Amino acid sequence: GVVLSATAPFAGGKLLAEAGYGVKTVADKDTDLMNFAVGYQHTLSKQTYLYAGLGYNEEKPESGAKVDATIAQFGICHSF
């Protein structure tokens, strides 16, 4: 598989982006895997930052139904 990611300065923080694609094989059946995500990280101090992100994952088997999920996250990180 392959994963591409990027980080860029944006509005006093960091804009984060990622996209990935891969194939997994189980019992001689392939499943396509895709994911996309975007996020933002805002620094409050040398030790503390806020973060938020939104992601989408999809599994598409050769036979059967597609499975997908949308994920949101947010929080604060502090290093001691």
Side-chain angles (χ1 to χ4, degrees):
V2 64
V3 175
L4 300 173
S5 61
T7 303
F10 181 77
K14 292 182 196 175
L15 184 62
L16 314 163
E18 178 183 287
Y21 175 79
V23 176
K24 73 176 179 180
T25 303
V26 176
D28 293 329
K29 293 188 179 184
D30 291 340
T31 299
D32 291 335
L33 308 169
M34 291 188 301
N35 69 38
F36 305 96
V38 294
Y40 180 73
Q41 181 177 313
H42 184 78
T43 301
L44 298 176
S45 70
K46 286 183 180 182
Q47 296 176 299
T48 307
Y49 64 86
L50 301 173
Y51 64 89
L54 183 64
Y56 174 78
N57 296 315
E58 179 180 286
E59 292 189 18
K60 202 177 211 180
E62 282 181 13
S63 59
K66 172 179 82 168
V67 177
D68 61 357
T70 302
I71 303 155
Q73 64 180 9
F74 61 92
I76 186 169
C77 184
H78 180 76
S79 300
F80 294 95

Coordinates of all heavy atoms in Angstrom, one line a residue:
G1 N 0.8 -1.2 0.0 CA 0.0 0.0 0.0 C 0.9 1.3 0.0 O 2.1 1.2 0.1
V2 N 0.2 2.4 -0.1 CA 0.9 3.7 -0.1 C 0.1 4.6 0.8 O -1.1 4.6 0.8 CB 1.1 4.2 -1.5 CG1 -0.3 4.4 -2.2 CG2 1.9 5.4 -1.6
V3 N 0.8 5.5 1.5 CA 0.2 6.6 2.3 C 1.0 7.8 2.0 O 2.2 7.9 2.0 CB 0.3 6.3 3.8 CG1 -0.2 7.4 4.6 CG2 -0.4 5.0 4.1
L4 N 0.3 8.9 1.7 CA 0.9 10.2 1.4 C 0.3 11.1 2.5 O -0.9 11.2 2.8 CB 0.5 10.7 0.1 CG 0.9 9.9 -1.1 CD1 0.3 10.5 -2.4 CD2 2.4 9.9 -1.2
S5 N 1.2 11.9 3.1 CA 0.8 12.9 4.1 C 1.5 14.2 3.9 O 2.6 14.2 3.3 CB 1.0 12.3 5.5 OG 2.4 12.1 5.7
A6 N 0.9 15.3 4.4 CA 1.5 16.6 4.3 C 1.1 17.4 5.5 O 0.1 17.2 6.1 CB 1.0 17.3 3.0
T7 N 2.0 18.4 5.9 CA 1.8 19.3 6.9 C 2.1 20.7 6.4 O 3.1 20.9 5.7 CB 2.7 19.0 8.1 OG1 2.4 17.7 8.6 CG2 2.4 20.0 9.3
A8 N 1.3 21.7 6.7 CA 1.5 23.1 6.2 C 1.1 24.1 7.3 O 0.1 23.8 8.0 CB 0.8 23.3 4.9
P9 N 1.8 25.2 7.4 CA 1.4 26.2 8.3 C 0.1 26.8 7.9 O -0.2 27.0 6.7 CB 2.5 27.3 8.2 CG 3.5 26.8 7.3 CD 3.0 25.5 6.7
F10 N -0.8 27.0 8.9 CA -2.1 27.6 8.5 C -2.7 28.3 9.7 O -2.9 27.7 10.8 CB -3.1 26.4 8.1 CG -4.4 26.9 7.7 CD1 -4.7 27.5 6.5 CD2 -5.5 26.7 8.5 CE1 -5.9 27.9 6.1 CE2 -6.8 27.1 8.2 CZ -7.0 27.7 6.9
A11 N -3.1 29.5 9.6 CA -3.8 30.3 10.6 C -3.2 30.1 12.0 O -3.9 29.9 13.0 CB -5.3 29.8 10.7
G12 N -1.9 30.3 12.1 CA -1.2 30.2 13.4 C -0.9 28.8 13.9 O -0.4 28.6 15.0
G13 N -1.3 27.8 13.1 CA -1.1 26.4 13.6 C -0.6 25.6 12.4 O 0.1 26.0 11.5
K14 N -1.0 24.3 12.4 CA -0.6 23.4 11.3 C -1.8 22.7 10.7 O -2.7 22.2 11.5 CB 0.3 22.2 11.9 CG 1.6 22.6 12.4 CD 2.4 21.4 12.8 CE 3.6 21.7 13.6 NZ 4.2 20.5 14.2
L15 N -1.9 22.6 9.4 CA -2.9 21.9 8.7 C -2.3 20.6 8.4 O -1.2 20.5 7.9 CB -3.3 22.6 7.5 CG -4.5 22.0 6.7 CD1 -5.7 22.0 7.5 CD2 -4.7 22.8 5.4
L16 N -3.0 19.5 8.6 CA -2.5 18.1 8.4 C -3.4 17.4 7.4 O -4.6 17.6 7.5 CB -2.5 17.3 9.7 CG -1.9 18.0 10.9 CD1 -2.3 17.3 12.2 CD2 -0.4 18.1 10.8
A17 N -2.8 16.6 6.5 CA -3.6 15.9 5.5 C -3.0 14.6 5.2 O -1.7 14.4 5.3 CB -3.8 16.7 4.2
E18 N -3.8 13.5 5.0 CA -3.3 12.2 4.7 C -4.3 11.5 3.8 O -5.5 11.6 3.9 CB -3.1 11.4 6.0 CG -2.7 10.0 5.8 CD -2.6 9.2 7.1 OE1 -1.7 9.5 7.9 OE2 -3.4 8.4 7.3
A19 N -3.7 10.7 2.9 CA -4.5 9.8 2.0 C -3.7 8.5 1.9 O -2.5 8.5 1.7 CB -4.7 10.4 0.6
G20 N -4.5 7.4 1.9 CA -3.8 6.1 1.7 C -4.6 5.1 0.9 O -5.9 5.2 0.8
Y21 N -3.9 4.1 0.3 CA -4.6 3.1 -0.4 C -3.8 1.8 -0.2 O -2.6 1.8 -0.2 CB -4.6 3.4 -1.9 CG -5.2 2.3 -2.8 CD1 -6.6 2.1 -2.8 CD2 -4.3 1.4 -3.4 CE1 -7.1 1.0 -3.6 CE2 -4.8 0.3 -4.2 CZ -6.2 0.1 -4.2 OH -6.7 -0.9 -4.9
G22 N -4.5 0.7 -0.1 CA -3.8 -0.6 0.0 C -4.8 -1.7 -0.4 O -6.0 -1.5 -0.6
V23 N -4.2 -2.9 -0.4 CA -5.0 -4.1 -0.7 C -4.6 -5.2 0.3 O -3.5 -5.4 0.5 CB -4.8 -4.7 -2.1 CG1 -5.5 -6.0 -2.4 CG2 -5.1 -3.6 -3.2
K24 N -5.6 -5.8 1.0 CA -5.3 -6.9 1.9 C -6.0 -8.2 1.3 O -7.0 -8.1 0.6 CB -5.8 -6.7 3.3 CG -7.3 -6.8 3.5 CD -7.7 -6.6 5.0 CE -9.2 -6.7 5.1 NZ -9.6 -6.5 6.6
T25 N -5.3 -9.3 1.4 CA -5.8 -10.6 0.9 C -6.0 -11.5 2.1 O -5.1 -11.8 2.9 CB -4.7 -11.2 -0.1 OG1 -4.5 -10.2 -1.1 CG2 -5.3 -12.4 -0.7
V26 N -7.2 -12.1 2.1 CA -7.6 -13.0 3.1 C -8.3 -14.2 2.4 O -9.3 -13.9 1.7 CB -8.5 -12.4 4.2 CG1 -9.0 -13.5 5.2 CG2 -7.8 -11.3 4.9
A27 N -7.8 -15.4 2.5 CA -8.4 -16.6 1.9 C -8.5 -16.4 0.4 O -9.6 -16.6 -0.2 CB -9.7 -16.9 2.5
D28 N -7.5 -15.9 -0.2 CA -7.4 -15.6 -1.7 C -8.5 -14.6 -2.2 O -8.8 -14.7 -3.4 CB -7.6 -17.0 -2.5 CG -6.4 -17.9 -2.2 OD1 -5.3 -17.3 -2.0 OD2 -6.5 -19.1 -2.3
K29 N -9.0 -13.8 -1.3 CA -9.9 -12.7 -1.8 C -9.3 -11.4 -1.4 O -8.9 -11.2 -0.3 CB -11.3 -12.9 -1.1 CG -12.0 -14.2 -1.6 CD -13.4 -14.2 -1.0 CE -14.0 -15.5 -1.6 NZ -15.4 -15.6 -1.2
D30 N -9.3 -10.5 -2.4 CA -8.7 -9.1 -2.1 C -9.8 -8.2 -1.6 O -10.9 -8.2 -2.0 CB -8.1 -8.6 -3.4 CG -6.9 -9.3 -3.9 OD1 -6.3 -10.0 -3.0 OD2 -6.5 -9.2 -5.1
T31 N -9.3 -7.2 -0.8 CA -10.2 -6.1 -0.3 C -9.4 -4.9 -0.5 O -8.2 -4.7 0.0 CB -10.5 -6.3 1.2 OG1 -11.2 -7.5 1.4 CG2 -11.3 -5.2 1.7
D32 N -10.0 -3.9 -1.2 CA -9.4 -2.6 -1.4 C -9.6 -1.8 -0.1 O -10.7 -1.7 0.4 CB -10.0 -1.8 -2.6 CG -9.6 -2.5 -3.9 OD1 -8.6 -3.1 -4.0 OD2 -10.4 -2.3 -4.9
L33 N -8.5 -1.1 0.3 CA -8.6 -0.2 1.5 C -8.2 1.2 1.1 O -7.2 1.4 0.4 CB -7.6 -0.7 2.6 CG -7.7 -2.2 2.9 CD1 -6.4 -2.6 3.8 CD2 -8.9 -2.5 3.7
M34 N -9.0 2.2 1.5 CA -8.8 3.6 1.3 C -9.0 4.4 2.5 O -9.9 4.0 3.3 CB -9.7 4.1 0.2 CG -9.4 3.6 -1.2 SD -10.3 4.4 -2.5 CE -12.0 4.2 -2.0
N35 N -8.2 5.4 2.8 CA -8.5 6.3 3.9 C -8.1 7.7 3.5 O -7.1 7.9 2.7 CB -7.8 5.9 5.2 CG -6.3 5.9 5.2 OD1 -5.8 6.9 4.6 ND2 -5.7 5.0 5.8
F36 N -8.8 8.7 4.1 CA -8.5 10.1 3.9 C -8.7 10.8 5.2 O -9.6 10.4 6.0 CB -9.5 10.7 2.9 CG -9.5 10.0 1.5 CD1 -10.5 9.1 1.3 CD2 -8.6 10.3 0.6 CE1 -10.5 8.5 0.1 CE2 -8.6 9.7 -0.6 CZ -9.6 8.8 -0.9
A37 N -7.8 11.8 5.5 CA -8.0 12.5 6.8 C -7.4 13.9 6.7 O -6.5 14.1 5.9 CB -7.2 11.8 7.9
V38 N -8.1 14.8 7.4 CA -7.6 16.2 7.5 C -7.7 16.6 9.0 O -8.5 16.1 9.7 CB -8.4 17.2 6.6 CG1 -8.3 16.9 5.2 CG2 -9.9 17.2 7.0
G39 N -6.8 17.4 9.4 CA -6.7 17.9 10.7 C -6.1 19.2 10.9 O -5.5 19.8 10.0
Y40 N -6.2 19.7 12.1 CA -5.6 21.0 12.5 C -5.0 20.9 13.9 O -5.6 20.3 14.7 CB -6.7 22.1 12.4 CG -6.1 23.5 12.7 CD1 -5.3 24.2 11.8 CD2 -6.4 24.1 14.0 CE1 -4.7 25.4 12.2 CE2 -5.8 25.3 14.3 CZ -5.0 26.0 13.4 OH -4.5 27.2 13.7
Q41 N -3.8 21.5 14.0 CA -3.2 21.5 15.3 C -2.8 22.9 15.7 O -2.2 23.6 14.9 CB -1.9 20.6 15.3 CG -1.1 20.6 16.6 CD 0.0 19.6 16.4 OE1 -0.1 18.5 15.9 NE2 1.2 20.1 16.9
H42 N -3.3 23.4 16.8 CA -3.0 24.8 17.2 C -2.2 24.8 18.5 O -2.7 24.3 19.6 CB -4.4 25.5 17.4 CG -4.2 27.0 17.7 ND1 -3.9 27.9 16.8 CD2 -4.2 27.7 18.9 CE1 -3.7 29.1 17.3 NE2 -3.9 29.0 18.6
T43 N -1.0 25.4 18.5 CA -0.1 25.5 19.6 C -0.6 26.6 20.6 O -0.8 27.7 20.2 CB 1.3 25.8 19.2 OG1 1.7 24.7 18.3 CG2 2.3 25.8 20.3
L44 N -0.7 26.2 21.9 CA -1.0 27.1 22.9 C 0.2 27.6 23.7 O 0.3 28.7 24.1 CB -2.0 26.5 23.9 CG -3.4 26.1 23.3 CD1 -4.2 25.4 24.4 CD2 -4.1 27.3 22.8
S45 N 1.2 26.7 23.8 CA 2.5 27.0 24.5 C 3.5 25.9 24.0 O 3.2 25.1 23.1 CB 2.3 26.9 26.0 OG 2.1 25.5 26.4
K46 N 4.7 26.0 24.5 CA 5.7 25.0 24.1 C 5.3 23.6 24.4 O 5.7 22.7 23.8 CB 7.0 25.3 24.8 CG 7.8 26.5 24.3 CD 9.1 26.7 25.0 CE 9.9 27.8 24.5 NZ 11.2 28.0 25.2
Q47 N 4.5 23.4 25.5 CA 4.1 22.1 25.9 C 2.7 21.7 25.6 O 2.3 20.6 25.9 CB 4.3 22.0 27.4 CG 5.8 22.2 27.9 CD 5.9 22.2 29.4 OE1 5.3 23.1 30.0 NE2 6.6 21.3 29.9
T48 N 1.8 22.6 25.1 CA 0.4 22.3 25.0 C -0.1 22.7 23.6 O 0.2 23.8 23.1 CB -0.4 23.1 26.1 OG1 0.2 22.8 27.3 CG2 -1.9 22.7 26.1
Y49 N -0.9 21.8 23.0 CA -1.6 22.1 21.8 C -3.0 21.5 21.7 O -3.3 20.5 22.4 CB -0.8 21.7 20.6 CG -0.6 20.2 20.4 CD1 -1.5 19.4 19.7 CD2 0.6 19.6 20.9 CE1 -1.3 18.1 19.6 CE2 0.8 18.3 20.7 CZ -0.1 17.5 20.0 OH 0.1 16.2 19.9
L50 N -3.9 22.2 21.0 CA -5.2 21.6 20.7 C -5.2 21.0 19.3 O -4.4 21.4 18.5 CB -6.2 22.8 20.6 CG -6.4 23.7 21.9 CD1 -7.3 24.8 21.6 CD2 -6.9 22.8 23.0
Y51 N -6.0 19.9 19.1 CA -6.1 19.3 17.8 C -7.5 18.9 17.5 O -8.3 18.7 18.4 CB -5.2 18.1 17.8 CG -5.6 17.0 18.7 CD1 -6.4 16.0 18.3 CD2 -5.0 16.9 20.0 CE1 -6.8 15.0 19.2 CE2 -5.4 15.9 20.9 CZ -6.3 14.9 20.5 OH -6.6 13.9 21.3
A52 N -7.8 18.8 16.2 CA -9.1 18.4 15.7 C -8.8 17.7 14.4 O -7.9 18.1 13.6 CB -10.0 19.5 15.6
G53 N -9.6 16.7 14.1 CA -9.4 16.0 12.8 C -10.7 15.3 12.4 O -11.6 15.0 13.2
L54 N -10.8 15.0 11.1 CA -11.9 14.3 10.5 C -11.3 13.3 9.5 O -10.4 13.6 8.7 CB -12.8 15.3 9.7 CG -14.1 14.7 9.1 CD1 -15.0 14.1 10.2 CD2 -14.8 15.8 8.3
G55 N -11.7 12.0 9.6 CA -11.2 11.0 8.7 C -12.3 10.1 8.1 O -13.4 10.1 8.6
Y56 N -12.0 9.5 7.0 CA -12.9 8.5 6.3 C -12.1 7.3 5.9 O -11.0 7.4 5.4 CB -13.5 9.2 5.1 CG -14.3 8.3 4.2 CD1 -15.6 8.0 4.6 CD2 -13.8 7.7 3.1 CE1 -16.4 7.1 3.9 CE2 -14.6 6.8 2.3 CZ -15.9 6.6 2.7 OH -16.7 5.7 2.0
N57 N -12.7 6.1 6.3 CA -12.0 4.8 5.9 C -13.1 4.0 5.1 O -14.3 4.0 5.4 CB -11.7 4.0 7.2 CG -10.6 4.7 8.0 OD1 -9.6 5.2 7.4 ND2 -10.8 4.8 9.3
E58 N -12.5 3.2 4.2 CA -13.4 2.4 3.4 C -12.7 1.1 3.0 O -11.6 1.1 2.7 CB -13.8 3.1 2.0 CG -14.7 2.3 1.1 CD -15.0 3.1 -0.1 OE1 -15.8 4.0 -0.1 OE2 -14.4 2.7 -1.2
E59 N -13.5 0.0 3.2 CA -13.0 -1.3 2.8 C -14.0 -1.8 1.7 O -15.2 -1.9 2.0 CB -13.0 -2.3 4.0 CG -12.0 -2.0 5.0 CD -11.8 -3.1 6.0 OE1 -12.3 -4.2 5.8 OE2 -11.2 -2.8 7.1
K60 N -13.5 -2.3 0.6 CA -14.3 -2.7 -0.5 C -13.9 -4.1 -1.0 O -12.9 -4.2 -1.7 CB -14.2 -1.7 -1.7 CG -15.3 -1.7 -2.7 CD -14.9 -0.6 -3.7 CE -16.2 0.1 -4.2 NZ -15.9 1.1 -5.2
P61 N -14.5 -5.1 -0.5 CA -14.1 -6.5 -0.8 C -14.6 -6.9 -2.2 O -15.4 -6.3 -2.8 CB -14.9 -7.4 0.2 CG -16.0 -6.6 0.7 CD -15.6 -5.1 0.5
E62 N -13.9 -7.9 -2.8 CA -14.2 -8.4 -4.1 C -15.7 -8.8 -4.2 O -16.4 -8.6 -5.1 CB -13.4 -9.6 -4.5 CG -12.0 -9.3 -5.0 CD -11.2 -10.6 -5.3 OE1 -11.8 -11.7 -5.5 OE2 -10.0 -10.5 -5.5
S63 N -16.1 -9.5 -3.1 CA -17.5 -9.9 -3.0 C -18.0 -9.4 -1.6 O -17.3 -9.5 -0.7 CB -17.7 -11.4 -3.2 OG -16.9 -12.1 -2.2
G64 N -19.3 -9.0 -1.6 CA -19.8 -8.5 -0.3 C -20.0 -7.0 -0.3 O -19.7 -6.3 -1.3
A65 N -20.5 -6.6 0.8 CA -20.8 -5.1 0.9 C -19.6 -4.3 1.3 O -18.7 -4.8 2.0 CB -21.9 -5.0 1.9
K66 N -19.6 -3.1 0.8 CA -18.6 -2.1 1.2 C -18.8 -1.7 2.7 O -19.9 -1.6 3.1 CB -18.7 -0.9 0.3 CG -17.9 0.3 0.7 CD -18.0 1.5 -0.2 CE -19.3 2.2 0.2 NZ -19.4 3.5 -0.5
V67 N -17.7 -1.5 3.4 CA -17.8 -1.1 4.8 C -17.0 0.2 4.9 O -15.9 0.3 4.4 CB -17.1 -2.1 5.7 CG1 -17.1 -1.6 7.2 CG2 -17.8 -3.5 5.6
D68 N -17.7 1.2 5.4 CA -17.0 2.5 5.6 C -17.3 3.2 6.9 O -18.3 2.8 7.6 CB -17.4 3.5 4.4 CG -18.9 3.8 4.4 OD1 -19.7 3.2 5.1 OD2 -19.3 4.6 3.5
A69 N -16.5 4.1 7.3 CA -16.7 4.8 8.6 C -16.1 6.2 8.5 O -15.1 6.5 7.8 CB -15.9 4.1 9.7
T70 N -16.8 7.1 9.1 CA -16.3 8.5 9.2 C -16.0 8.7 10.7 O -16.7 8.4 11.6 CB -17.4 9.5 8.8 OG1 -17.7 9.2 7.4 CG2 -16.9 10.9 8.9
I71 N -14.8 9.3 10.9 CA -14.3 9.5 12.3 C -13.9 10.9 12.6 O -13.3 11.6 11.8 CB -13.0 8.6 12.5 CG1 -13.4 7.1 12.2 CG2 -12.5 8.7 13.9 CD1 -12.2 6.3 11.7
A72 N -14.4 11.4 13.7 CA -14.0 12.8 14.1 C -13.3 12.7 15.5 O -13.7 11.9 16.3 CB -15.3 13.7 14.3
Q73 N -12.3 13.5 15.7 CA -11.6 13.6 17.0 C -11.2 15.0 17.3 O -11.0 15.8 16.4 CB -10.4 12.7 16.9 CG -9.3 13.1 15.9 CD -8.1 12.2 16.0 OE1 -8.2 11.1 16.6 NE2 -7.1 12.5 15.3
F74 N -11.1 15.3 18.6 CA -10.6 16.6 19.0 C -10.0 16.4 20.4 O -10.4 15.4 21.1 CB -11.7 17.6 19.0 CG -12.8 17.3 19.9 CD1 -12.9 17.8 21.2 CD2 -13.9 16.6 19.4 CE1 -13.9 17.5 22.0 CE2 -15.0 16.3 20.3 CZ -15.0 16.7 21.6
G75 N -9.2 17.3 20.8 CA -8.6 17.2 22.2 C -7.5 18.2 22.4 O -7.3 19.1 21.7
I76 N -6.9 17.9 23.6 CA -5.8 18.8 24.0 C -4.6 17.8 24.4 O -4.9 16.7 25.0 CB -6.2 19.7 25.2 CG1 -5.1 20.7 25.5 CG2 -6.6 18.9 26.4 CD1 -5.5 21.8 26.5
C77 N -3.4 18.2 24.1 CA -2.2 17.4 24.4 C -1.3 18.3 25.2 O -1.0 19.4 24.8 CB -1.6 16.9 23.2 SG -0.2 15.8 23.5
H78 N -0.8 17.8 26.4 CA 0.1 18.5 27.2 C 1.3 17.6 27.5 O 1.1 16.5 28.0 CB -0.5 19.0 28.5 CG 0.4 19.8 29.3 ND1 0.8 21.1 29.1 CD2 1.1 19.4 30.5 CE1 1.6 21.5 30.0 NE2 1.9 20.5 30.8
S79 N 2.6 18.1 27.3 CA 3.8 17.3 27.6 C 4.4 17.8 28.9 O 4.5 19.0 29.1 CB 4.8 17.4 26.5 OG 4.2 17.0 25.3
F80 N 4.8 16.9 29.7 CA 5.4 17.3 31.0 C 6.9 17.2 30.9 O 7.5 16.5 30.2 CB 4.9 16.4 32.1 CG 3.5 16.6 32.4 CD1 2.5 15.8 31.8 CD2 3.0 17.6 33.3 CE1 1.2 16.0 32.1 CE2 1.7 17.8 33.5 CZ 0.7 17.0 32.9

